[in-house]
Amino acid sequence: MPVLLEIPPAAADHADARRGFWPLALMLASGFAGLGYQIVWTQQFGLWLGHESAAVLAVVAAFFGGLSLGALVLANAIERSRNPRRWYVACETTIGLWALVLAVAMPDYGAWLLERIGPAASELRQWSVAFCGVFIGLLPATAAMGATLPAMERLVAGLQAQRRSIAGLYAMNTAGAVCGVLAAAFWLVPALGLSVTATLCAGLNLACATGALVCFPATVGELAKPVAAKPNSSLLRLAATGLLGIGYEVVAVRVLSQVSENTVYTFAMLLAVYLIGSAAGAALYRHWCNRLLGNDRKVEGLLFCAQATACLIGISSLWGAEAAKAAVLEFLGPGLAAAMAVEALLALAAFGLPTLLMGALFCHLSERANAAGAGFGLALATNTLGAALAPLLFGVVLVPAVGSQYALITIAAAYLLLAKPVPLTALPAGAALTLALLAPALVFVEMPDGGHVVDYREGAMAAVSVVEDADGVRRLRINNRQQEGSSATLLVDGRQALLPVLLHPSPKTALFLGLGTGTTAATAAADPTLQVDAVELLPEVVADVGYFAQPFTAAGLARLRLLEADARRYVKTAPHDYDVIVADNFHPARSGSGALYTVEHFRAVRERLNRGGLFCQWLPLHQLDLATLRSIVKSFLAAYPDAILLLASNSLATPVVGLIGRNGGEAFAPETARRRLRESALPKSPAEFGIEDEFALLGGFAAGPAALARFAEPAPLNSDDRPIVIYTAPRITYAPDSQPSDRLLELLRQLELKPAELFADTAEPGFNARIAAYWQARNSYLAAGRTVAPSADVRAMLAQVRQPLLAALRISPDFRPAYDPLLRMAAALSAVDAAAARALAEELSRLQPTRLEAQRLLERLAE
């Protein structure tokens, strides 16, 4: 063990430092800033590099790589220095100043990296550019971060005549990281934005540098060299524990994302629990293990066996995570606090015990390496180097190859193999490992009664499943939480392609952002006059579109050009422009989706439109509260001041609205709408999608630009720098405060639309009055539908809807959604009550004399 050779007189004037308050306080503040930066920089680079697994994990790996390099390069110089204060001050100053540089240079640097990747790069190219670009861009700051802990440890060791230990400083630095994660996710970024958060963290680093200058002496005592030994064994174990520790985090988070809500708060909670466990483990090691057990090699074997057992306990909790979540929610009741508490408990079960041992094991191995002459800087460097390799090995390679279950078991087995000498505690750990290998598959798929799994794929970013129920309806789900469509909604999905395509006067090219079941894009691609591209982030979703193919989409799927890429990145780097761009109704609360609703993205889409081009952004109102919708609308208006709101359908259960923006072009016209419907080259008529005439096509509009501006006026913009949506959208996911139908009706109540906002002066007399009546009838129809209880008894159903539907037809005889169901009920009623059926058919014939269906029914009833 190194011993203190000299304590300079200056140290006597720094009693506070010797008591250890200031080193711990500075480590707390430095850890806070470090994790604040990680959250900010990860989000910022994701905006430019994309959200594919290669890009996301490359950013994490590059961050750890910089930490490792900094500790490795500077370790020896810091260890030999008698002025470690200078090193610590230089490191904190470098971090703060470089963070300020990045706050200014990030947009230009990100755009430069974007050009290097291109629109559809291979996974190898994307990983290489992302890793190297982030590694180099962050290197001055991350390298300095990697050296702060060794510099502070050397400073404290030079001031205190006691056995060297990194445990207390490591614990406090990690505790600061916990505070940084929670503060950034729950307060700083939502309230202030990414740049201001990074600037505040920079100020904290500069304050740490100033505090060190004030609180510590310029020189400290020189440390004796330890007895020569070979530190290779401890260093290799440190590298292995870094690799396995971060590997466990990567894989366990992947599994928990299939049980939790998978929001920005979910990841903040998981990371916070992970860090709390590590900090507590280091603190316990300092106050208990290190004092009572010492550095004996037997302790090392015991810790590795305990670590393997702890990982197996954490893994076992994952099998019961879904049941535990349901039980706790039932006990706590609904609400945001209850939902967040459940996610915290799931994280604690999976990470609590394993991370506790990880923190203790890191401190133990670091002190063994130091005792053998390696120094704490080198120990930290090797541990962090292993951590840098973990995202690639486990996230990109192992999970897709063998699945999450066996990747986690591999981690536990590796810890057990590192236990040398092997204590008797290895026997129960080995038995538990055997049981884990024999356990059922760690797969989460919500199964309907009588259903079965058609396909299940676990990729680098998500688990994708196709499930078929007893009625033959297939559903596509991502991470078991997010439904991307089903075979029961194919016509509605196809309608979301046809509405924007038919609203364009003469489209030749179209781009679809997001694939889902493939029905939306394939419906458009079935038109042989239209060239369609579709961009999808998850390769597993692309592989599953064939399970939802229908005769009317088969030709479209064959013609569709599928691109596996990040939608934002593709829009910015696409090789050509488009006449129509349609964005899927991305769940705004899910990780990464909020970036598709920012001002910058909407403007980038506008730049990708040809002159007169049209952009439709579909929004899932059943997954949005009105406050979040206001921010999205305001951001859309910033790019498209003449935006219009459109209803995808008349669904009350899953309402979807669309924002329509155009890059110039003429006003909408009924004659153009009639021509587009008449000249449709689709194998399936637009009428089969509920678009029978120009009123059905243009009657979906619900608000003009003036009404949208008034609706969105009090909301903040959702921008790349201040990503409001990803922080507000989860509220309704965790604790819905209203029904989707109520939100739709409230939205329509707050909006208005005048024909003059949409249509130029038309030669068709009376059209504007007819379309305004159509919109009024639609709103009346939707309001009446909220209280309807579905019934198989036609008379019971008719008793509920007859008067409301007839009232809608009296407002607008053109409103077919009221006419068609009444006609069907009249036909069904004829079998049990011919007189009532005749009366209803006569009423329909009077209200809409130009339609012949009711008259034909009357003729059949008269036979």
Side-chain angles (χ1 to χ4, degrees):
M1 284 295 172
V3 295
L4 192 65
L5 289 184
E6 177 184 1
I7 301 178
D13 298 329
H14 297 271
D16 287 342
R18 288 201 303 270
R19 286 197 299 268
F21 171 79
W22 287 112
L24 296 177
L26 293 179
M27 282 292 94
L28 182 75
S30 184
F32 182 105
L35 260 291
Y37 289 133
Q38 185 175 356
I39 287 178
V40 169
W41 292 337
T42 299
Q43 288 193 37
Q44 288 179 327
F45 274 112
L47 295 171
W48 296 100
L49 302 177
H51 289 84
E52 294 97 330
S53 58
V56 173
L57 296 176
V59 172
V60 177
F63 193 91
F64 279 114
L67 295 176
S68 176
L69 184 62
L72 183 65
V73 171
L74 301 176
N76 287 335
I78 292 173
E79 190 71 14
R80 293 193 304 267
S81 175
R82 292 195 59 189
N83 188 2
R85 184 187 71 172
R86 177 180 59 192
W87 285 102
Y88 179 80
V89 170
C91 287
E92 293 287 4
T93 303
T94 300
I95 297 168
L97 293 179
W98 192 249
L100 296 176
V101 170
L102 287 177
V104 176
M106 183 68 79
D108 291 336
Y109 186 62
W112 183 80
L113 290 177
L114 186 68
E115 293 177 2
R116 307 284 80 75
I117 294 177
S122 66
E123 191 170 83
L124 178 61
R125 177 179 177 83
Q126 189 183 16
W127 172 275
S128 301
V129 174
F131 177 81
C132 294
V134 176
F135 180 80
I136 294 170
L138 299 183
L139 186 59
T142 53
M145 287 180 191
T148 53
L149 182 58
M152 182 57 73
E153 189 282 327
R154 173 66 183 89
L155 182 57
V156 171
L159 290 172
Q160 297 179 349
Q162 64 180 35
R163 180 177 177 274
R164 295 181 68 179
S165 174
I166 201 172
L169 296 174
Y170 174 76
M172 192 56 67
N173 191 244
T174 309
V178 174
C179 298
V181 167
L182 297 177
F186 288 89
W187 173 45
L188 291 175
V189 176
L192 304 175
L194 297 172
S195 296
V196 174
T197 299
T199 302
L200 289 176
C201 290
L204 202 55
N205 287 123
L206 296 176
C208 287
T210 303
L213 284 173
V214 172
C215 298
F216 297 115
T219 59
V220 296
E222 184 178 351
L223 299 176
K225 299 295 182 184
V227 178
K230 294 183 178 180
N232 295 348
S233 175
S234 294
L235 291 179
L236 289 175
R237 281 174 166 73
L238 277 164
T241 54
L243 175 72
L244 298 174
I246 298 300
Y248 183 88
E249 179 192 11
V250 168
V251 183
V253 166
R254 276 290 319 280
V255 175
L256 286 173
S257 67
Q258 301 176 58
V259 181
S260 61
E261 293 300 336
N262 205 17
T263 70
V264 65
Y265 298 121
T266 301
F267 291 114
M269 192 69 69
L270 293 174
L271 183 55
V273 172
Y274 185 94
L275 293 170
I276 288 171
S278 300
L284 287 175
Y285 180 83
R286 179 191 182 197
H287 291 288
W288 182 61
C289 296
N290 194 20
R291 293 181 180 182
L292 298 183
L293 302 178
N295 267 329
D296 191 272
R297 285 291 303 275
K298 294 179 181 180
V299 175
E300 187 169 307
L302 180 64
L303 284 173
F304 272 110
C305 284
Q307 179 70 80
T309 305
C311 285
L312 289 169
I313 292 172
I315 295 168
S316 67
S317 74
L318 299 175
W319 271 279
E322 193 75 69
K325 175 183 176 181
V328 175
L329 281 178
E330 183 178 0
F331 175 76
L332 295 177
L336 178 61
M340 296 294 293
V342 167
E343 293 196 346
L345 290 173
L346 293 178
L348 187 62
F351 288 129
L353 197 55
T355 54
L356 196 72
L357 271 296
M358 288 177 195
L361 192 55
F362 168 75
C363 294
H364 175 83
L365 292 173
S366 296
E367 294 189 7
R368 281 193 61 84
N370 179 70
F376 285 119
L378 183 58
L380 182 62
T382 53
N383 181 260
T384 313
L385 179 61
L389 298 174
L392 174 61
L393 177 60
F394 289 95
V396 177
V397 178
L398 262 187
V399 169
V402 302
S404 298
Q405 177 178 350
Y406 290 107
L408 287 168
I409 292 173
T410 299
I411 292 169
Y415 276 121
L416 197 58
L417 291 174
L418 289 169
K420 293 181 180 179
V422 180
L424 292 177
T425 52
L427 295 177
L433 187 63
T434 304
L435 290 175
L437 288 168
L438 298 175
L442 190 58
V443 172
F444 295 94
V445 178
E446 185 178 330
M447 194 71 64
D449 293 338
H452 66 280
V453 176
V454 176
D455 188 59
Y456 180 85
R457 301 170 189 265
E458 191 168 16
M461 290 191 67
V464 177
S465 61
V466 178
V467 178
E468 184 176 294
D469 65 19
D471 296 324
V473 176
R474 291 180 174 178
R475 293 175 174 81
L476 177 68
R477 298 181 72 86
I478 296 175
N479 280 338
N480 194 44
R481 310 298 303 162
Q482 182 176 341
Q483 183 165 310
E484 290 293 298
S486 78
S487 58
T489 61
L490 297 181
L491 291 179
V492 175
D493 293 342
R495 182 183 171 91
Q496 291 185 27
L498 295 186
L499 285 172
V501 168
L502 291 172
L503 286 171
H504 190 284
S506 56
K508 297 292 185 284
T509 56
L511 171 65
F512 285 78
L513 305 177
L515 188 62
T517 62
T519 304
T520 304
T523 298
D527 183 346
T529 68
L530 188 65
Q531 176 58 50
V532 179
D533 297 341
V535 178
E536 171 56 46
L537 181 65
L538 299 177
E540 296 76 25
V541 170
V542 175
D544 279 339
V545 295
Y547 291 110
F548 298 89
Q550 296 291 313
F552 73 91
T553 61
L557 284 174
R559 297 185 66 250
L560 187 63
R561 189 168 78 105
L562 290 172
L563 304 165
E564 296 177 10
D566 177 78
R568 275 187 59 120
R569 197 185 74 247
Y570 182 80
V571 164
K572 291 179 180 177
T573 58
H576 51 79
D577 296 337
Y578 295 88
D579 295 319
V580 176
I581 298 178
V582 180
D584 200 0
N585 49 332
F586 307 107
H587 195 313
R590 303 305 182 202
S591 177
S593 295
L596 296 168
Y597 295 127
T598 66
V599 177
E600 291 82 357
H601 175 61
F602 290 148
R603 287 173 176 163
V605 172
R606 186 182 183 112
E607 293 175 2
R608 192 56 59 210
L609 288 172
N610 289 319
R611 177 67 182 171
L614 180 147
F615 172 46
C616 177
Q617 174 65 70
W618 292 115
L619 300 168
L621 193 57
H622 52 289
Q623 299 166 342
L624 271 171
D625 62 284
L626 293 185
T628 303
L629 178 63
R630 283 188 175 90
S631 284
I632 296 175
V633 170
K634 189 166 188 177
S635 305
F636 196 88
L637 286 169
Y640 305 90
D642 297 327
I644 302 167
L645 188 78
L646 174 72
L647 301 188
S649 68
N650 293 321
S651 171
L652 287 169
T654 56
V656 173
V657 300
L659 290 168
I660 300 291
R662 295 189 294 171
N663 185 22
E666 300 178 355
F668 295 107
E671 60 270 21
T672 304
R674 279 195 294 272
R675 174 183 61 80
R676 293 286 290 123
L677 291 169
R678 184 176 61 250
E679 297 175 356
S680 171
L682 292 166
K684 197 177 185 75
S685 169
E688 297 187 58
F689 295 88
I691 313 175
E692 304 89 350
D693 53 27
E694 69 273 24
F695 291 99
L697 177 58
L698 303 174
F701 287 115
L708 288 176
R710 287 193 298 272
F711 171 74
E713 193 277 330
L717 283 171
N718 183 51
S719 66
D720 285 352
D721 186 63
R722 193 179 176 197
I724 296 296
V725 166
I726 64 171
Y727 293 98
T728 60
R731 296 171 188 166
I732 201 165
T733 300
Y734 285 116
D737 59 354
S738 59
Q739 294 298 317
S741 58
D742 295 334
R743 292 196 291 276
L744 175 61
L745 294 175
E746 177 61 22
L747 175 65
L748 293 176
R749 188 189 66 79
Q750 296 185 31
L751 300 175
E752 63 177 349
L753 179 61
K754 299 176 181 178
E757 292 184 279
L758 291 184
F759 311 113
D761 293 337
T762 175
E764 299 183 25
F767 175 79
N768 283 2
R770 289 177 69 184
I771 194 68
Y774 188 99
W775 294 333
Q776 183 183 352
R778 179 205 59 210
N779 292 354
S780 174
Y781 169 87
L782 290 170
R786 180 172 56 175
T787 59
V788 172
S791 173
D793 185 337
V794 64
R795 284 176 291 193
M797 195 67 185
L798 188 59
Q800 297 182 78
V801 303
R802 176 178 181 136
Q803 292 309 316
L805 294 185
L806 288 175
L809 281 174
R810 292 187 185 101
I811 296 171
S812 170
D814 299 308
F815 189 66
R816 293 183 64 121
Y819 183 98
D820 291 342
L822 286 174
L823 183 68
R824 289 193 296 269
M825 281 187 276
L829 191 61
S830 64
V832 293
D833 191 342
R838 187 179 299 108
L840 181 56
E842 289 172 350
E843 182 74 11
L844 291 174
S845 184
R846 277 195 305 273
L847 288 172
Q848 182 50 283
T850 61
R851 293 190 59 181
L852 303 179
E853 294 96 325
Q855 186 60 42
R856 292 190 186 116
L857 177 59
L858 286 171
E859 292 172 359
R860 290 200 303 272
L861 292 173
E863 294 177 357

